[in-house]
Amino acid sequence: MAVALIAHGGAGKWRPGSDDDAVAGLADAVEAGRRVLLAGGSSLDAVCETVVRLEDNPIYNAGTGAVLNFDGFCELDASVMESRESRAGAVSGLQRVKNPVLVARKVMEETDHVMLTGDGAQRFARVMGFPDHDPVTPARRADWMDKRNRVDEILGQRALKMRKFLQEHPEYAGGTVGAAAVDSRGVLAAATSTGGVTLKMVGRVGDSPVPGAGNYADVRMAASATGTGEFVLRSLATRAIAERMGQGEALEQALEAVLAQLGRDYDADVGLIAVDAAGTPVARHRTRDMPHAWFSGEGPVASRMRVPPA
Ligand code: ASP
């Protein structure tokens, strides 16, 4: 079976000067996942390896370097899913862990549950041996100060309604990470990790930890979504791709149809990556940028900032 892996670094608008680093970071992370797959490793190992690299790279909005919520601290969401037995694991609202994706995997492998949140997730992480780690970087802290000032200036008392502000300022969005892969046994897996949307309300949970919304894998495909999570939650976008494939559509056609629907329904600023069981990687987005990298079969890793117009 052809192995393949694709990963993204978030739908949005990267600042000039950071775009090359964003693409290079994706290429490195996918190379790490590729090594796992070519050595006969599982798709779950490969997507976790890829996402850990991205979480540890402070330029992305996941793990170290995640964006801060409205009150100025991180609440991290992550999930994994595997086509084998439709297994899934997720965490939301984690505050002090280095690699939320690995905690999500532990939820899947070591508990009867699918998702742990907040305090419980944090306590579970400690029991599983994940040490205390502060994900806040000085750059994100400075960024947060700047954004908070702009929000007060623009929205005044209406600061709880952030979506319009973020749509008008796409440079404040992006950086979520995700990966999807198929291994030599034909097993598919996906993993997604994020700090969520910048300046989110405390307690806000996005699409990334929710199976079928920001992350999904079944016997036909594995996918990860990015962009304003509320749209992805309302449409269950990754699951919608799988359902269209169940009705006979190819991955590319199904993914494009789901994205087009997100455009019609919400004018949603989202992006999707996915891989099918045959090892075809696909990426599409409705934002200006979505850095992504991929490989398939014997091929090398390729990477780019955005999908060129058809
Ligand atoms: N989907 C993420 C969330 O809503 C954010 C993003 O991908 O930019 O939490």
Side-chain angles (χ1 to χ4, degrees):
M1 305 271 305
V3 297
L5 187 147
I6 182 163
H8 70 78
K13 192 171 173 189
W14 285 75
R15 293 193 186 131
S18 65
D19 19 4
D20 287 349
D21 290 346
V23 174
L26 258 310
D28 281 355
V30 169
E31 185 58 50
R34 178 174 178 264
R35 280 197 293 273
V36 172
L37 289 172
L38 293 184
S42 71
S43 50
L44 183 64
D45 283 342
V47 292
C48 286
E49 180 69 28
T50 302
V51 167
V52 162
R53 302 270 170 145
L54 297 168
E55 286 179 338
D56 290 346
N57 186 334
I59 67 172
Y60 302 104
N61 171 21
T64 304
V67 300
L68 313 192
N69 63 18
F70 202 80
D71 284 12
F73 60 93
C74 288
E75 290 176 292
L76 310 172
D77 298 341
S79 63
V80 297
M81 187 156 181
E82 200 182 40
S83 61
R84 234 168 16 120
E85 298 164 30
S86 296
R87 298 199 303 164
V91 285
S92 63
L94 262 184
Q95 290 182 29
R96 296 185 64 94
V97 160
K98 184 161 166 281
N99 294 114
V101 73
L102 297 182
V103 185
R105 181 174 178 168
K106 286 284 186 200
V107 174
M108 177 175 91
E109 292 178 335
E110 307 295 337
T111 80
D112 294 329
H113 306 311
V114 168
M115 191 189 297
L116 292 177
T117 190
D119 237 20
Q122 188 80 26
R123 274 161 53 193
F124 171 73
R126 295 292 175 263
V127 170
M128 288 292 124
F130 294 92
D132 185 53
H133 174 80
D134 183 3
V136 179
T137 59
R140 288 294 190 197
R141 170 73 59 201
D143 214 31
W144 177 79
M145 294 292 293
D146 172 54
K147 287 172 187 165
R148 278 286 277 122
N149 291 336
R150 303 257 307 126
V151 168
D152 289 346
E153 178 193 307
I154 294 164
L155 296 181
Q157 295 306 306
R158 294 171 46 247
L160 292 182
K161 291 271 195 184
M162 286 298 303
R163 202 174 70 216
K164 195 158 176 295
F165 174 78
L166 290 174
Q167 279 179 337
E168 282 161 12
H169 296 276
E171 70 279 13
Y172 287 171
T176 290
V177 306
V182 57
D183 65 28
S184 56
R185 288 165 291 279
V187 177
L188 290 123
T192 303
S193 182
T194 187
V197 292
T198 193
L199 296 177
K200 64 187 180 183
M201 289 174 69
V202 176
R204 180 263 190 189
V205 178
D207 60 309
S208 305
V210 180
N215 197 72
Y216 193 69
D218 73 2
V219 291
R220 298 181 193 96
M221 54 71 86
S224 171
T226 170
T228 301
E230 282 70 14
F231 300 130
V232 180
L233 279 166
R234 286 155 76 184
S235 59
L236 295 177
T238 54
R239 165 85 188 196
I241 301 172
E243 280 170 7
R244 296 190 78 107
M245 291 178 75
Q247 287 155 15
E249 288 185 11
L251 174 63
E252 186 173 350
Q253 189 188 6
L255 188 148
E256 284 181 352
V258 168
L259 201 62
Q261 192 67 44
L262 276 157
R264 284 193 293 275
D265 290 347
Y266 313 111
D267 190 22
D269 50 345
V270 298
L272 296 161
I273 57 153
V275 68
D276 66 13
T280 316
V282 178
R284 296 285 186 275
H285 50 102
R286 299 192 75 256
T287 48
R288 192 193 72 179
D289 301 332
M290 185 182 72
H292 57 286
W294 69 95
F295 90 96
S296 182
E298 309 282 296
V301 172
S303 58
R304 61 189 175 190
M305 183 45 111
R306 59 189 73 91
V307 177

